[in-house]
Amino acid sequence: MEFSLFEKKEKPLIEAALIKFLDKSVSQEGTLSQAMNYSLTAGGKRIRPLLLLATVQSLGGDVSKSYEIATALEYIHTYSLVHDDLPAMDNDVLRRGKPTNHTVYGEDIAILAGDGLLTLAFEIASGGSLPAGKKIALILALAKAAGPKGMVAGQTEDIEGENQQLSLELLKAVHEKKTGELLKFSVHAGGVIADVPPFVNTLLEEFASHFGLAFQILDDILDVIGDSKELGKKTGGDAALNKSTYPGLLGLDGAKKALKSELISGKNNLLQIENYYKNAGGKFDIQLLSEMLDLLKL
Ligand code: GRG
């Protein structure tokens, strides 16, 4: 299936699920729900839920049972952006082309909106019609990916790395946690829902790892050469905060090469999965995930 068709069908369903769970769970009149709603509906690309659903679909799993976990994932991603933009962190005024949450609602409410999104995510993930064992496994994996050994650790290391020249190895390790863990979870969850065998699970993990690094390298490159209007956020922020980045460490051309190499490795993993199912007699629609990788081409 073409990714563009898949996105056309699935994105509205993701948007509807994001709002449905907020309406169900938060008192509608208050500032808190407005602040949560503001960032949830500020126009994110929904890469993580789309990657999760695309993984399920490409492996022949049941997409209709995947919305709770896909929604929970986007809630956690949204919380991370709200908190990342706070004055104590990146101190950003623009996100997704709109004023950041704290700029509109104040720092106190923005912190609480982030807290609300994070905790509500787990309430949402516990619902739905997946078997209980799968739900528990997914909730555990999501908590680990987002938590103090995952994204929160990555964010901490990122802050502590400001004003320091990190080695390429260290930079990779920071990004694998800060951005990579949630992207890896997207693919992992898809594999769990679609009941993949361990061999495919390992290949999916490798694919997700390359996807995550490519995503971050592209973000770093666009921070240097991108157009802030197109991106909906200010550019040059990494340099302003004296952060180590791929273009900073490898030069712009080196970073572009590194991006290409991650994309090729990710594609190879998909070909290996396709080959596995050819021999094992199952089905794998390589096109969807392959075209999602292509989104990360410059
Ligand atoms: C505050 C605990 C805590 C963590 C924040 C992910 C993160 C950790 C901060 C974001 C910093 C950042 C801009 C990283 C670059 C890659 C990235 C995550 C970009 C934003 O994700 P997109 O492009 O955003 O999927 P949209 O707006 O489309 O959802």
Side-chain angles (χ1 to χ4, degrees):
M1 184 177 201
E2 269 177 47
F3 175 70
S4 60
L5 290 179
F6 181 77
E7 185 184 27
K8 208 168 178 188
K9 174 172 170 275
E10 291 299 336
K11 218 169 158 189
L13 298 175
I14 295 169
E15 301 296 339
L18 290 171
I19 293 308
K20 180 182 94 180
F21 289 115
L22 189 66
D23 286 351
K24 246 171 70 175
S25 314
V26 186
S27 128
Q28 285 318 292
E29 298 80 40
T31 326
L32 179 63
S33 97
Q34 282 173 30
M36 289 166 75
N37 185 69
Y38 176 79
S39 288
L40 273 178
T41 58
K45 296 183 292 298
R46 314 306 187 201
I47 292 290
R48 293 154 194 79
L50 283 169
L51 186 56
L52 191 158
L53 299 178
T55 306
V56 176
Q57 167 92 15
S58 68
L59 291 157
D62 191 344
V63 174
S64 73
K65 292 186 175 161
S66 311
Y67 292 104
E68 284 78 8
I69 202 77
T71 303
L73 176 59
E74 186 69 5
Y75 268 54
I76 292 183
H77 166 63
T78 305
Y79 123 76
S80 82
L81 298 182
V82 171
H83 280 194
D84 186 61
D85 290 334
L86 287 168
M89 301 237 187
D90 269 4
N91 196 16
D92 275 317
V93 292
L94 205 59
R95 163 76 64 188
R96 295 169 167 172
K98 290 187 171 177
T100 45
N101 198 295
H102 67 270
T103 319
V104 179
Y105 294 97
E107 214 177 324
D108 43 7
I109 298 297
I111 291 170
L112 292 167
D115 294 339
L117 290 164
L118 172 61
T119 41
L120 186 50
F122 288 99
E123 190 180 321
I124 295 167
S126 71
S129 57
L130 284 174
K134 269 191 193 178
K135 256 190 244 175
I136 292 172
L138 289 171
I139 289 170
L140 175 63
L142 184 55
K144 279 187 173 169
K149 278 190 175 171
M151 181 177 68
V152 172
Q155 178 78 348
T156 308
E157 289 165 16
D158 189 53
I159 289 168
E160 287 174 347
E162 280 170 20
N163 300 313
Q164 279 180 53
Q165 179 81 294
L166 300 183
S167 67
L168 189 59
E169 218 179 26
L170 216 56
L171 181 68
K172 249 186 176 178
V174 171
H175 288 320
E176 258 161 6
K177 288 179 223 154
K178 191 181 108 173
T179 341
E181 285 288 341
L182 283 195
L183 290 166
K184 269 194 197 162
F185 174 81
S186 315
V187 176
H188 171 74
V192 170
I193 293 169
D195 282 317
V196 296
F199 181 74
V200 174
N201 188 41
T202 306
L203 288 170
L204 282 176
E205 265 176 28
E206 284 175 24
F207 161 75
S209 193
H210 294 301
F211 189 101
L213 274 175
F215 187 90
Q216 184 63 53
I217 298 171
L218 178 66
D219 193 76
D220 279 6
I221 294 175
L222 292 178
D223 193 63
V224 179
I225 62 168
D227 178 77
S228 88
K229 256 200 194 127
E230 247 171 58
L231 296 171
K233 60 179 184 178
K234 82 169 190 285
T235 50
D238 294 334
L241 286 169
N242 228 346
K243 283 190 181 179
S244 299
T245 62
Y246 287 90
L249 282 175
L250 302 173
L252 198 51
D253 281 348
K256 285 181 184 173
K257 270 192 200 137
L259 172 60
K260 252 192 199 153
S261 148
E262 294 302 332
L263 294 177
I264 290 170
S265 302
K267 182 71 188 280
N268 277 338
N269 295 136
L270 296 179
L271 290 167
Q272 284 170 286
I273 297 175
E274 189 180 48
N275 206 26
Y276 169 86
Y277 279 113
K278 245 182 217 155
N279 293 326
K283 264 196 181 167
F284 174 61
D285 176 1
I286 193 171
Q287 189 181 10
L288 261 181
L289 293 179
S290 192
E291 288 185 5
M292 282 204 83
L293 257 187
D294 290 343
L295 296 176
L296 305 177
K297 278 185 181 161
L298 259 180

